[in-house]
């Protein structure tokens, strides 16, 4: 439906959150209204992602979940609350508050991927089997599986064409993947015995 696309192109999840009473800090984080949150775990920009309960989606998903209504009702509510009509988004006078410029998003992706690559290389050296046939530590296996992929993403972001960089950033931002990876890396640094695996951007 046209109203869905018009709303999503006109209002960010952060704008909706602020309109509906959430306090968003300078880093785009807020207390998540979808679970008992005691420190900001909800990341808000164009979309939203919670590191605590893993709720995620676009502005319509956010509004629907916040008010317990259908996506259609959420789209209509946003249109009413933000004065959106069926006109083209370029004709709607709604400021894009707090929208992050693309260079900032690229820098975020590069920084997180570099941190993850550094962790993988440490694991490759630290947990390499001492002898053939010895059971392999999950961290060593993950480093072998993911290092090439992470390097490919970094090469694309650093040396790729503008169009390629934009595609990669979009892929990493989809469903909050880059924020999830950021939290994962920090957690693994603090919990060296953690045995889980993470597959970003599958």
């Amino acid at each position: 439906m046209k109203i869905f696309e018009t709303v999503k192109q006109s209002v960010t999840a952060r704008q909706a959150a602020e309109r509906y009473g959430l306090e968003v800090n300078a880093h785009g984080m807020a207390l998540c209204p979808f679970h008992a949150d005691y420190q900001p775990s909800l990341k808000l920009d164009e979309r939203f992602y919670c590191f605590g309960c893993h709720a995620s989606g676009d502005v319509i998903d956010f509004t629907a979940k916040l008010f317990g209504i259908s996506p259609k009702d959420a789209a209509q509510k946003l249109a009413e609350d933000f004065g959106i009509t069926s006109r083209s988004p370029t004709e709607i006078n709604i400021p894009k508050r707090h929208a992050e410029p693309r260079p900032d998003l690229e820098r975020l992706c590069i920084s997180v991927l570099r941190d993850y690559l550094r962790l993988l290389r440490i694991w490759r050296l630290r947990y390499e089997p001492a002898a053939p046939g010895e059971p392999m530590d999950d961290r060593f296996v993950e480093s072998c599986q993911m290092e090439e992929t992470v390097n490919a993403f970094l090469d694309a972001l650093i040396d790729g064409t503008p169009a390629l960089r934009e595609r990669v950033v979009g892929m990493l931002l989809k469903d909050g993947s880059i924020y999830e990876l950021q939290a994962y890396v920090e957690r693994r640094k603090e919990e060296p015995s953690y045995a889980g695996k993470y597959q970003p951007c599958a």
Side-chain angles (χ1 to χ4, degrees):
M1 294 177 66
K2 188 173 182 180
I3 186 65
F4 278 72
E5 292 307 312
T6 303
V7 166
K8 286 191 285 188
Q9 292 177 43
S10 304
V11 185
T12 67
R14 177 168 182 162
Q15 287 175 306
E18 291 177 325
R19 177 67 177 263
Y20 299 137
L22 271 69
E23 239 179 77
V24 184
N25 66 25
H27 303 290
M29 302 293 295
L31 292 174
C32 180
F34 309 131
H35 75 284
D37 201 6
Y38 301 104
Q39 60 180 7
S41 62
L42 181 68
K43 178 66 179 179
L44 292 148
D45 44 63
E46 292 291 327
R47 297 171 61 84
F48 73 98
Y49 177 77
C50 178
F51 295 113
C53 67
H54 306 295
S56 66
D58 58 34
V59 64
I60 294 175
D61 297 325
F62 175 83
T63 306
K65 191 171 179 66
L66 184 67
F67 292 99
I69 56 181
S70 70
K72 180 180 178 181
D73 289 341
Q76 291 174 342
K77 177 175 178 57
L78 286 162
E80 291 172 7
D81 292 345
F82 283 87
I84 298 171
T85 70
S86 58
R87 291 177 296 161
S88 161
T90 59
E91 300 173 335
I92 300 170
N93 186 24
I94 297 178
K96 289 285 188 178
R97 295 179 295 142
H98 308 294
E100 293 179 272
R102 180 64 57 181
D104 285 354
L105 294 177
E106 287 186 8
R107 284 194 291 271
L108 168 67
C109 292
I110 290 170
S111 174
V112 173
L113 289 170
R114 280 178 170 165
D115 281 349
Y116 186 37
L117 183 61
R118 190 176 301 115
L119 187 63
L120 293 174
R121 287 174 173 170
I122 290 171
W123 286 349
R124 177 75 69 96
L125 294 172
R126 184 175 296 170
Y127 300 109
E128 182 178 6
E134 181 178 300
M136 289 188 288
D137 188 281
D138 283 347
R139 288 159 288 196
F140 177 76
V141 173
E142 184 173 343
S143 71
C144 294
Q145 292 176 338
M146 298 307 302
E147 187 170 340
E148 184 176 350
T149 299
V150 175
N151 269 320
F153 279 132
L154 281 169
D155 287 345
L157 288 170
I158 294 169
D159 298 319
T161 64
L164 176 59
R165 296 201 308 271
E166 185 174 357
R167 284 198 299 274
V168 172
V169 169
M171 185 186 306
L172 293 170
L173 289 174
K174 185 179 180 182
D175 298 326
S177 294
I178 195 66
Y179 302 117
E180 186 177 354
L181 177 58
Q182 185 177 40
Y184 172 82
V185 171
E186 291 305 314
R187 187 169 68 247
R188 294 307 299 260
K189 286 178 181 177
E190 296 172 3
E191 303 173 11
S193 61
Y194 181 78
K197 297 180 184 179
Y198 179 83
Q199 298 291 334
C201 304

